[in-house]
Amino acid sequence: MMDENRVYSAPGDEIETKHPVLVSRYRGITRLNHWITALCMIVLLISGFSFFHPALFWMTGLFGGGQTTRWLHPIVGLVLVASFLLLFLQMWKLNLPRREDVEWSLKIGDMLKGDEDKLPELGKYNAGQKMVFWGMSALIALLVTTGIMIWEEYFPHIVSIPVRRIAVAVHALAALGAILIFIVHVYAAIWTRGTIRAMTRGTVTGGWAFRHHRKWLRELAGRQRTDPSK
Ligand code: HEM
């Protein structure tokens, strides 16, 4: 007798497991490190904007007034530098440019259209992520250098007044660059479905890894086959 539940499938077709493949992408310590960096950046952006124009000065109220904000901003800046440095040390190697990044960049239109099958297979990061990484690294270095030059409370005579004026302008421009990169980074993380969980739960699905970072997944799968003890 025909099984009434079997209209579209043949005998033997069945769901083998309800557990999808999950791939570990960031350890807990790296995620904590990332979110401390992100929090510092948000505090710096809000407090920095509040000094930028009198119309924005009201935002200092969020940190307990103008004096406290003026004191807090450079201190949080130093925490960001230390925190980003730790991220940098963990991630710089996998963010080095590779040959496939050129092809990926030339085919960025296909990526935006969702035709990812036309793109080359990638390791842990794509060229866009690498640009975010190196762009942020350079701008944070510039921000801390110019920031120290204008930190009158602790370094009043480190540079002359004309140099300090240039440092203020460069500091503001570098902050603008960092904001643009920040927006691109957050937009890309939300836009590429299944990415946010990499930094919240630490894992991504096998499908996500296959679609976006296939070389990375292949390496992990290969390692598991050859060395099951690990
Ligand atoms: C609220 C803001 C933020 C959100 C929602 C966010 C989200 C994420 C997510 C989901 C990833 C994992 C992407 C992947 O592995 O494919 C990631 C990676 C990363 N994030 Fe963020 N992030 C934020 C802020 C920041 C800030 C402020 C910085 C640096 C100052 C930063 C630096 C990084 C770096 C270096 C990576 C590693 C990937 C790469 O090299 O581009 N993030 N972020």
Side-chain angles (χ1 to χ4, degrees):
M1 200 181 76
M2 180 96 172
D3 180 352
E4 55 183 319
N5 289 328
R6 214 177 269 293
V7 179
Y8 304 107
S9 54
D13 295 355
E14 60 185 21
I15 294 172
E16 285 268 352
T17 168
K18 288 181 182 159
H19 303 292
V21 173
L22 282 187
V23 188
S24 182
R25 193 160 165 86
Y26 295 110
R27 290 173 297 172
I29 191 79
T30 310
R31 282 179 275 147
L32 181 70
N33 194 171
H34 172 270
W35 290 119
I36 290 175
T37 313
L39 185 71
C40 288
M41 188 63 130
I42 292 165
V43 170
L44 285 163
L45 292 184
I46 300 174
S47 55
F49 265 121
S50 73
F51 304 138
F52 195 68
H53 193 274
L56 301 172
F57 189 73
W58 61 270
M59 292 198 294
T60 58
L62 294 170
F63 308 101
Q67 303 260 28
T68 327
T69 312
R70 185 68 195 82
W71 165 82
L72 188 71
H73 181 87
I75 306 269
V76 177
L78 290 187
V79 178
L80 174 109
V81 169
S83 175
F84 188 81
L85 192 66
L86 288 178
L87 267 191
F88 183 92
L89 292 174
Q90 294 169 69
M91 294 175 171
W92 71 272
K93 260 194 195 145
L94 293 178
N95 276 290
L96 288 176
R98 297 186 70 90
R99 195 176 313 151
E100 57 267 27
D101 294 329
V102 178
E103 195 189 340
W104 186 92
S105 306
L106 293 173
K107 293 184 174 167
I108 191 124
D110 289 322
M111 196 270 294
L112 295 173
K113 276 188 272 170
D115 290 342
E116 280 191 66
D117 43 322
K118 293 187 183 148
L119 299 169
E121 294 192 2
L122 299 175
K124 187 157 181 171
Y125 298 117
N126 63 39
Q129 290 172 299
K130 291 180 184 181
M131 279 188 259
V132 164
F133 179 82
W134 292 108
M136 270 298 186
S137 306
L139 288 173
I140 288 173
L142 197 57
L143 282 164
V144 68
T145 314
T146 50
I148 286 176
M149 289 179 181
I150 59 180
W151 197 357
E152 283 179 63
E153 189 184 351
Y154 292 108
F155 306 100
H157 306 298
I158 199 165
V159 289
S160 64
I161 291 174
V163 172
R164 193 182 303 154
R165 286 191 186 132
I166 295 170
V168 170
V170 174
H171 196 77
L173 286 174
L176 195 66
I179 292 166
L180 293 178
I181 294 182
F182 179 80
I183 292 171
V184 170
H185 177 62
V186 175
Y187 184 76
I190 296 169
W191 186 67
T192 313
R193 261 186 29 205
T195 305
I196 293 286
R197 59 173 292 162
M199 263 309 164
T200 50
R201 282 176 264 178
T203 55
V204 288
T205 62
W208 183 96
F210 186 77
R211 197 180 157 117
H212 304 298
H213 300 281
R214 203 166 299 170
K215 269 191 183 166
W216 174 67
L217 179 66
R218 283 191 201 286
E219 186 176 290
L220 301 180
R223 197 186 302 153
Q224 216 135 37
R225 261 202 304 277
T226 50
D227 191 356
S229 64
K230 287 187 180 165

